[in-house]
């Protein structure tokens, strides 16, 4: 069992109790509606976390890459939704997972791709399972719920059409729970309407899938929906806390870093966590409070350096400052600090493992994570 | 031998001829001054690239992490400068590499750390080789060249002091070659002055190390300097091109991506390269021309979609638009495109390999790269 002080910096820390609390809150929020929770593993990318997140649930998960699908399949997961628009060139990898006994669903909003999936199924025997992506206002992927295009995609898929999915990513632009409720209702209504249209042309459409962390937590109704797919709720971050998806105490993932320079005359220190270790994500620039590239706390995760933030992030250098004088006597070169990330999905991506803590400074476990495509 | 059309997207492409040309230009620029070129491998992180970049040079390289130092040591490199401020906790890994025959130099600007390095050397027998970091105007790492602090660090290191180093990272803020020349002269003068101060207290100070891509290319004099450490010149990117470090034709690294959605009414397509595949770096936001999260070209690397850029980058979605109508007939779902990155150091970090091309669409080689710390 190693202690924090024995870890090479920068590295990723995960507080097990905070993770557990976040999982419990989301499970409770979703349980109210009687729909399935299909956690999105794009944030954690870890089988150990997925096992906790699916405990007491139906067991299905969501992924953002085929590399994740293959990793979770190796780890025993059998019900996986790959929630990023498929292209025909990726169907062989999908079919290989299906042949291996994984019920892997894919997503499209494109009639030609739908036809290509049907052809691929015909040529290879792969019984693809496809959700039609509809747009509930995010304007990223997805076609309109009540549209000829929807009907065209449904018809091209025929029996491979297993339902509809949408994602209210624009819930991240909300700055109050009342605003999230409005977006959540649009997300629900869009998915349900699309499902009704597909049923109207004779497609069974069993799956009606929605979800983002804000809308899954705050939806007033999920009537007609069958599952929701939040992800970042597991860890929380400075951005999610500010849009009402969590509390600062529940941020479960931080980066452990070391002070490498002190600049007393400038009220700055430099740490060995820069853009590589924290990511260049600046989500909080559009939030009520801007944390630069992250909030700097002491090695125990306490905010004992005032409002110190990483104001600048070069490749391996994070320049830290604060509106009040930094306590340089407690920030010697070599001092360990923890940085809470703006956007944990991006920050965690730089690492291949979590050092798991349980409130103290002892590493109780090491959990791997998958990366790449 | 695979073709581009057989690669899983997103993935990283490297044009060998463009790399070779960039290496030749920098070698020529440095040769003028009769100083050593110690290429910074933080961008490429690849032994294959390092072998090309050191061909005809003294053989030394620069790295930004100990993981890089260990990787390049395994690959046979024997003269390595770890150019990020050291902390005492990392000295055991440094000593292990030195014991294995690697002449690994480290950097500090802190008297207490210098004393800790001397103690570590005394206790373990590791003959550490240390450069004192001085600040030539970037205000990140480094102390003033003519300062009591410099003398204190030098005295604490004693015979372990092998020289001085500085980095003109603020050359990236220059918007003309004339401005770069001024920064390059400050970089040179700072390093040479610091070396003279250390020699004044009886330290031999053989190494006088400077370097960034802009200053290495455009310095008018490197008198008194012994080596320079540019890195990003090997690949170039949209930012470097705009500050005069390269030309658009020489950008050697791009991301291959697939169109996954078309949004005809909005003049947008979505590709499977988002924040993970491109990074969230927004360097060009402060350049004359802002490319969003990257410039979108056709699969052959030609700019045939007008000024199409990735305007929005979610985790696995890049939303592409252009000021002129996109040619949707050539942007079907599944179409391959290439994205030139804003800041190639950050973009390349998401990948574990380069698919090497030589002008055509055949992958002539696959080169690995190292990540983590």
């Amino acid at each position: 069992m190693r202690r924090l002080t024995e870890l090479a910096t920068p590295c990723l820390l995960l507080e097990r109790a905070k993770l557990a609390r976040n999982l419990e809150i989301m499970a409770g929020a979703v349980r109210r509606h009687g729909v399935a929770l299909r956690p999105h593993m794009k944030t954690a990318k870890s089988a150990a976390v997925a096992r906790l997140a699916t405990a007491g649930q139906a067991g299905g998960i969501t992924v953002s890459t085929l590399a994740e699908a293959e990793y979770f399949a190796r780890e025993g997961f059998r019900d996986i939704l790959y929630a990023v628009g498929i292209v025909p060139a990726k169907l062989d990898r999908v079919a290989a997972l299906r042949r291996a006994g994984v019920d892997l669903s894919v997503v499209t909003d494109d009639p030609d791709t739908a036809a290509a999936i049907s052809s691929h199924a015909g040529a290879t025997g792969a019984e693809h399972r496809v959700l039609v992506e509809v747009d509930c206002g995010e304007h990223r992927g997805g076609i309109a719920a009540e549209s000829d295009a929807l009907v065209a995609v449904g018809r091209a898929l025929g029996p491979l059409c297993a339902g509809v999915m949408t994602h209210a990513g624009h819930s991240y632009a909300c700055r109050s729970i009342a605003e999230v409720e409005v977006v959540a209702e649009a997300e629900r209504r869009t998915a349900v309407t699309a499902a009704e249209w597909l049923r109207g042309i004779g497609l069974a459409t069993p799956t009606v899938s929605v979800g983002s962390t804000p809308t899954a937590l705050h939806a007033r109704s999920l009537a007609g929906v069958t599952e929701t797919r939040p992800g970042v709720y597991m860890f929380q971050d400075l951005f999610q806390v500010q849009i009402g998806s969590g509390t600062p105490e529940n941020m479960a993932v931080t980066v452990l870093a070391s002070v490498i320079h002190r600049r007393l005359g400038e009220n700055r220190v430099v740490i060995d966590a820069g853009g590589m270790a924290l990511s260049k994500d600046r989500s909080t620039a559009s939030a009520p409070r801007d944390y630069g590239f992250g909030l700097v706390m002491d090695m125990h995760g306490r905010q004992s350096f005032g409002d110190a933030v990483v104001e600048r992030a070069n490749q391996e250098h994070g320049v830290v400052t604060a509106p009040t004088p930094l306590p340089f006597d407690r920030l010697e070169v070599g001092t360990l600090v923890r940085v809470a990330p703006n956007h944990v999905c991006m920050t965690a991506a730089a690492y291949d493992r979590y050092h798991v803590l349980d409130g103290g400074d002892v590493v109780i476990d090491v959990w791997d994570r998958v990366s790449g495509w």
Side-chain angles (χ1 to χ4, degrees), chain A:
Chain A
M1 304 260 260
R2 288 196 296 172
R3 298 192 167 271
L4 282 187
T5 48
E6 296 167 80
L7 298 177
T9 58
C11 65
L12 204 56
L13 306 179
L14 171 55
E15 293 275 4
R16 190 170 63 172
K18 295 182 181 189
L19 167 64
R21 178 80 188 122
N22 291 331
L23 297 179
E24 189 181 296
I25 290 168
M26 183 58 81
V30 172
R31 200 181 300 121
R32 291 180 298 150
H33 300 292
V35 306
L37 173 58
R38 179 186 288 280
H40 205 318
M41 299 314 303
K42 78 189 182 81
T43 307
K45 299 201 182 205
S46 155
V49 176
R51 280 188 272 274
L52 294 172
T54 53
Q57 306 295 337
I61 60 171
T62 313
V63 299
S64 66
T65 67
L66 284 177
E68 287 170 52
E70 289 157 352
Y71 162 83
F72 285 108
R74 285 193 301 275
E75 294 284 343
F77 291 85
R78 286 292 169 266
D79 177 5
I80 303 178
L81 168 61
Y82 171 40
V84 175
I86 195 76
V87 292
K90 294 180 182 173
L91 289 172
D92 285 344
R93 283 170 76 187
V94 173
L97 283 169
R98 293 194 65 84
R99 274 196 305 275
V102 179
D103 188 11
L104 178 64
S105 301
V106 297
V107 162
T108 191
D109 67 356
D110 179 59
D112 294 338
T113 306
I117 297 170
S118 290
S119 299
H120 189 269
T124 66
E127 295 174 8
H128 290 298
R129 188 176 189 280
V130 187
L131 303 185
V132 183
E133 184 167 4
V134 287
D135 182 7
C136 63
E138 187 187 28
H139 306 315
R140 186 178 72 183
I143 46 182
E146 300 169 282
S147 66
D148 294 341
L150 178 77
V151 172
V153 175
R155 290 223 161 98
L157 290 173
L160 304 181
C161 178
V164 299
M165 66 84 78
T166 191
H167 169 60
H170 54 310
S171 62
Y172 286 28
C174 297
R175 293 295 174 266
S176 72
I177 289 170
E179 283 173 60
V180 174
E181 288 173 354
V182 172
V183 171
E185 175 56 16
E187 187 182 43
R188 183 199 71 80
R189 198 178 51 242
T190 302
V192 170
T193 303
E196 284 163 1
W197 269 57
L198 292 176
R199 288 173 193 140
I201 59 167
L203 299 170
T205 317
T207 297
V208 181
S209 181
V210 301
S212 70
T213 285
T215 57
L217 280 173
H218 299 305
R220 297 181 78 127
S221 163
L222 288 179
V225 163
T226 64
E227 64 178 33
T228 182
R229 312 181 314 275
V232 70
Y233 72 96
M234 300 178 198
F235 292 165
Q236 299 295 341
D237 56 32
L238 292 167
F239 183 79
Q240 291 297 324
V241 164
Q242 292 195 64
I243 64 171
S245 296
T247 57
E249 310 77 63
N250 278 6
M251 288 190 292
V253 168
T254 49
V255 172
L256 186 72
S258 299
V259 174
I260 57 173
H261 299 289
R262 309 201 301 165
R263 304 187 70 83
L264 283 78
E266 300 168 11
N267 198 40
R268 288 186 170 81
V269 298
V270 180
I271 59 176
D272 63 357
M276 287 286 182
L278 300 174
S279 98
K280 288 274 194 171
D281 191 279
R282 290 283 290 109
S283 297
T284 64
S286 66
R289 180 143 178 193
D290 186 350
Y291 286 94
F293 294 91
L295 172 68
V296 181
M297 303 177 292
D298 68 23
M299 67 171 278
H300 307 292
R302 291 181 303 235
Q303 206 179 330
S304 59
F305 305 132
D307 292 326
V309 301
V310 179
E311 68 167 354
R312 200 170 114 202
N314 296 137
Q315 186 159 341
E316 297 295 345
H317 296 78
V319 180
V320 176
T321 193
T324 49
L326 289 170
F328 282 99
D329 55 323
R330 294 185 282 119
L331 287 166
E332 306 272 303
V333 170
T335 301
L336 295 175
V337 300
R338 283 204 217 179
V339 185
N342 280 336
H343 185 176
V344 69
C345 309
M346 298 304 300
T347 300
Y351 301 88
D352 62 2
R353 73 197 74 178
Y354 300 95
H355 300 277
V356 184
L357 308 175
D358 204 13
D361 68 347
V362 173
V363 178
I364 59 166
D365 212 342
V366 176
W367 293 347
D368 69 347
R369 40 175 293 135
V370 66
S371 62
W373 293 270

